[in-house]
């Protein structure tokens, strides 16, 4: 295998790669090399069979092939090289036809070979021109010999010389056709596979663009409806407070609804901005060692106040000895969203429990509620952009981005997210975060995704 790879690299070095040259140019280079070897064999053979003039002509063509190869491979002058070689090749075979017994020699077969090789090298739009040249030259030579048979000298001194020359020419023709076809077929298959791979890549890109377009449409829908609607309600409540004379109880009720709307809208905006920034700018991740209890204390304290306003008890059990490796802001955003969701879909008088446990080299943080739960037919889309935004038990509105953000940010920290839920009985959402092992010292790591 190693020998094959070296031979392949050696051949590519002399012929050129697809990134450097077109297929026609690489075919031309390969034919120059193969033709050079064939002529190198043909020169002594013609001396051997008593055709010194043909031998000298072959030596001249051998030198010309090397020159044309150099011009195309090194100087990148393919078009001029192929045109000059085409003209010179026809002149060469005309001379060979005359000095090598005309129709009785192998020159007609060599003319056919030369035409075949020319078709493999020249641009397709010029094929008709070279066909016309070949038919005219060969047809003209045959007619000339037919009308003036004595003008073409008989160059073979014995039948054995003719047998050797014609048989040798046939073998050269067949070998050249074999190598040319093999080279063209190999490169054709490679380029076809490359086209197929490019087509697959384009289709994959189109699918990604289609998904992005769907996400864009949903984002605009969110901005147009889900954000405008609560802001319009806030405006209506404020106008009502400023214009109407309300008693204390009505005023307090209105203020509570206004506070709830403002808080929900703020949470929606926070998730929307976080998701938009992650999609457009990439996410900066600061992985550091954190004490889990200290990191979540402020979040839990704030969420307890929000839960109590809805008549929900929020409890937690987090060992103060648990240390994790995570991004502080991401971890807080994920837990805040999970607890917010639990509050949103829990009823007054119920309880939410935050629990942390150690499993292998990970810490599992679970948010458990006995609220509305998730219908089974909606569970498959919970962490996707196709998830439907639903109203909470007090008509709290979301934008369907919270759990998508939780999934993305948890996985960016090297963790996983999952859930179990039963409709009308409650849900448990959990994340896993890598533990800080005592034997490992973690320095701050920054990266962008």
């Amino acid at each position: 295998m190693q020998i094959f790879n070296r031979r392949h690299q050696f051949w590519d070095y002399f012929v050129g790669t697809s990134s450097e040259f077109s297929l026609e140019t690489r075919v031309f280079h390969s034919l120059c090399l193969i033709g050079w070897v064939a002529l190198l064999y043909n020169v002594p053979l013609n001396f051997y069979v008593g055709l010194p003039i043909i031998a000298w002509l072959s030596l001249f063509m051998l030198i010309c092939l090397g020159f044309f190869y150099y011009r195309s491979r090194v100087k990148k002058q393919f078009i001029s090289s192929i045109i000059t070689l085409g003209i010179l090749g026809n002149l060469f075979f005309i001379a060979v036809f005359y000095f090598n017994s005309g129709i009785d020699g192998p020159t007609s077969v060599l003319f056919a070979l030369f035409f075949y090789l020319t078709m493999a090298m020249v641009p397709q739009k010029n094929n008709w021109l070279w066909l016309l040249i070949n038919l005219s030259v060969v047809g003209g030579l045959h007619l000339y010999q037919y009308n003036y048979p004595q003008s073409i000298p008989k160059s073979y001194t014995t039948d054995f010389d003719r047998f050797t020359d014609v048989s040798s020419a046939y073998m050269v023709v067949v070998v050249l056709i074999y190598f040319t076809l093999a080279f063209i077929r190999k490169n054709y298959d490679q380029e076809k596979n490359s086209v197929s791979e490019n087509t697959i890549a384009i289709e994959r890109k189109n699918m990604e663009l289609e998904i992005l377009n769907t996400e864009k449409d949903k984002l605009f829908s969110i901005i147009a409806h889900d954000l405008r609607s609560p802001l319009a309600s806030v405006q209506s409540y404020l106008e009502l407070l400023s214009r109407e004379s309300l008693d204390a109880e009505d005023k307090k009720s209105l203020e509570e609804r206004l506070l709830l709307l403002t808080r929900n809208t703020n949470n929606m905006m926070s998730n929307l901005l976080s998701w938009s920034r992650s999609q457009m700018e990439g996410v900066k991740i600061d992985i550091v060692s954190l004490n889990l209890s200290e990191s979540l204390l402020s979040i839990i304290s704030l969420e307890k106040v929000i839960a109590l306003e809805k008549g929900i008890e929020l409890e937690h059990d987090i060992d103060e000895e648990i240390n994790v490796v995570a991004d502080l802001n991401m971890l807080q955003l994920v837990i805040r969203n999970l607890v917010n969701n639990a509050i949103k879909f829990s009823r007054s008088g119920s309880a939410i429990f935050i629990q942390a446990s150690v499993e292998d080299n990970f810490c599992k943080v679970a948010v458990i509620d006995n609220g509305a739960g998730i219908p089974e037919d909606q569970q498959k889309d919970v962490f996707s952009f196709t998830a439907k935004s639903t109203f909470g038990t007090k008509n709290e509105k979301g934008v369907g981005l919270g759990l998508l953000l939780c999934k993305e940010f948890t996985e960016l920290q090297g963790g996983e997210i999952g859930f179990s839920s039963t409709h009308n009985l409650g849900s448990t959402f959990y994340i896993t975060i890598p533990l800080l092992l005592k034997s490992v010292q973690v320095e701050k790591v920054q990266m962008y995704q």
Side-chain angles (χ1 to χ4, degrees):
M1 180 62 71
Q2 190 174 6
I3 295 174
F4 175 79
N5 289 335
R6 286 180 180 175
R7 188 170 57 190
H8 184 72
Q9 292 172 358
F10 180 80
W11 180 254
D12 282 347
Y13 174 79
F14 284 101
V15 172
T17 61
S18 57
S19 60
E20 294 178 285
F21 301 99
S22 66
L23 178 58
E24 291 87 354
T25 309
R26 283 178 282 132
V27 170
F28 176 70
H29 294 163
S30 65
L31 291 179
C32 284
L33 295 172
I34 296 171
W36 197 85
V37 173
L39 286 170
L40 195 63
Y41 155 80
N42 200 46
V43 170
L45 175 69
N46 280 291
F47 276 119
Y48 174 76
V49 297
L51 299 171
I53 296 177
I54 306 301
W56 288 112
L57 286 172
S58 298
L59 181 61
F60 173 73
M61 279 302 297
L62 185 149
I63 296 171
C64 289
L65 274 180
F67 174 71
F68 292 132
Y69 167 80
Y70 171 79
R71 285 188 64 195
S72 178
R73 179 69 178 85
V74 178
K75 298 298 184 179
K76 307 293 191 297
Q77 297 176 353
F78 166 67
I79 297 298
S80 60
S81 297
I82 188 66
I83 292 174
T84 309
L85 179 60
I87 296 171
L88 190 61
N90 277 288
L91 293 175
F92 169 73
F93 285 114
I94 290 172
V96 171
F97 183 88
Y98 179 81
F99 290 109
N100 199 12
S101 301
I103 296 174
D104 297 322
T107 314
S108 296
V109 177
L110 295 176
F111 259 117
L113 172 66
F114 184 68
F115 172 71
Y116 161 76
L117 298 179
T118 303
M119 291 299 97
M121 295 182 291
V122 300
Q124 189 174 3
K125 62 181 181 180
N126 296 329
N127 284 356
W128 66 271
L129 176 62
W130 293 102
L131 173 63
L132 184 62
I133 291 173
N134 184 268
L135 292 176
S136 300
V137 170
V138 176
L141 289 173
H142 285 190
L143 284 173
Y144 176 80
Q145 184 173 358
Y146 177 76
N147 291 309
Y148 306 99
Q150 303 302 322
S151 64
I152 303 296
K154 302 295 182 182
S155 55
Y156 298 111
T157 55
T158 66
D159 289 340
F160 178 76
D161 290 342
R162 182 175 182 274
F163 163 78
T164 304
D165 190 30
V166 173
S167 299
S168 175
Y170 171 80
M171 287 187 287
V172 169
V173 167
V174 170
V175 169
L176 281 173
I177 290 176
Y178 168 79
F179 279 109
T180 307
L181 278 177
F183 182 81
I184 293 174
R185 182 59 186 267
K186 173 189 168 186
N187 282 272
Y188 170 76
D189 290 341
Q190 287 178 346
E191 294 192 4
K192 184 173 70 172
N193 293 335
S194 177
V195 169
S196 299
E197 290 173 1
N198 289 338
T199 302
I200 293 171
I202 290 170
E203 290 177 353
R204 188 183 299 117
K205 194 69 176 177
N206 287 338
M207 290 177 63
E208 292 173 358
L209 289 173
E210 201 170 310
I211 293 171
L212 287 174
N213 192 52
T214 303
E215 294 177 353
K216 178 203 70 177
D217 291 342
K218 183 165 185 177
L219 186 60
F220 286 149
S221 174
I222 289 167
I223 295 171
H225 180 268
D226 292 355
L227 289 180
R228 185 175 61 185
S229 178
L231 289 175
S233 298
V234 169
Q235 181 180 347
S236 298
Y237 288 152
L238 289 174
E239 289 175 351
L240 189 61
L241 283 171
S242 64
R243 293 176 184 175
E244 300 292 334
S245 298
L246 302 173
D247 57 37
E249 186 176 346
D250 289 338
K251 188 175 181 180
K252 182 180 179 182
S253 175
L254 196 58
E255 287 174 346
E256 286 177 352
R257 280 182 282 172
L258 183 59
L259 178 62
L260 182 62
L261 264 174
T262 307
R263 181 181 293 141
N264 288 336
T265 305
N266 182 63
N267 189 49
M268 290 162 63
M269 284 294 296
S270 176
N271 282 337
L272 183 59
L273 291 173
S274 295
W275 179 84
S276 300
R277 190 181 302 115
S278 72
Q279 299 303 305
M280 292 185 294
E281 301 175 0
V283 184
K284 180 182 178 183
I285 311 171
D286 294 327
I287 301 296
V288 296
S289 57
L290 300 170
N291 180 271
L292 185 64
S293 179
E294 292 178 2
S295 300
L296 300 183
L297 182 61
S298 61
I299 297 295
I300 294 173
S301 299
L302 178 61
E303 296 299 326
K304 274 188 177 182
V305 174
I306 298 172
L308 285 173
E309 290 177 357
K310 196 174 177 180
I312 298 168
E313 187 175 354
L314 178 61
E315 300 177 358
H316 69 280
D317 180 18
I318 301 176
D319 191 334
E320 295 181 355
E321 299 298 320
I322 296 178
N323 294 302
V324 296
V325 180
D327 179 292
L328 176 61
N329 293 325
M330 284 188 178
L331 179 61
Q332 290 180 340
L333 182 144
V334 169
I335 299 301
R336 183 171 66 246
N337 268 289
L338 294 181
V339 176
N340 273 335
N341 267 6
I343 295 172
K344 174 181 174 182
F345 293 105
S346 293
R347 304 171 185 87
S348 297
S350 62
I352 297 171
F353 192 64
I354 304 173
Q355 175 182 293
S357 59
V358 174
E359 297 182 2
D360 297 327
N361 294 329
F362 288 85
C363 172
K364 181 178 181 180
V365 183
V367 179
I368 306 165
D369 69 68
N370 53 6
I374 305 171
E376 189 172 346
D377 62 332
Q378 297 179 18
Q379 292 186 11
K380 66 181 185 301
D381 298 323
V382 162
F383 296 117
S384 71
F385 214 126
T386 57
K388 296 179 180 178
S389 59
T390 53
F391 289 94
T393 54
K394 278 199 172 182
N395 290 323
E396 302 99 322
K397 189 72 170 68
V399 296
L401 285 174
L403 289 175
L404 178 61
L405 273 175
C406 290
K407 176 177 172 60
E408 289 185 4
F409 285 2
T410 300
E411 291 176 351
L412 285 173
Q413 297 174 89
E416 294 180 352
I417 189 170
F419 74 98
S420 60
S421 182
T422 303
H423 190 39
N424 291 325
L425 293 180
S427 303
T428 298
F429 279 83
Y430 65 86
I431 65 168
T432 61
I433 297 294
L435 278 173
L436 174 65
L437 303 179
K438 293 181 180 180
S439 60
V440 179
Q441 295 294 324
V442 177
E443 297 181 355
K444 183 174 181 180
V445 177
Q446 286 191 349
M447 54 184 171
Y448 288 85
Q449 294 287 340

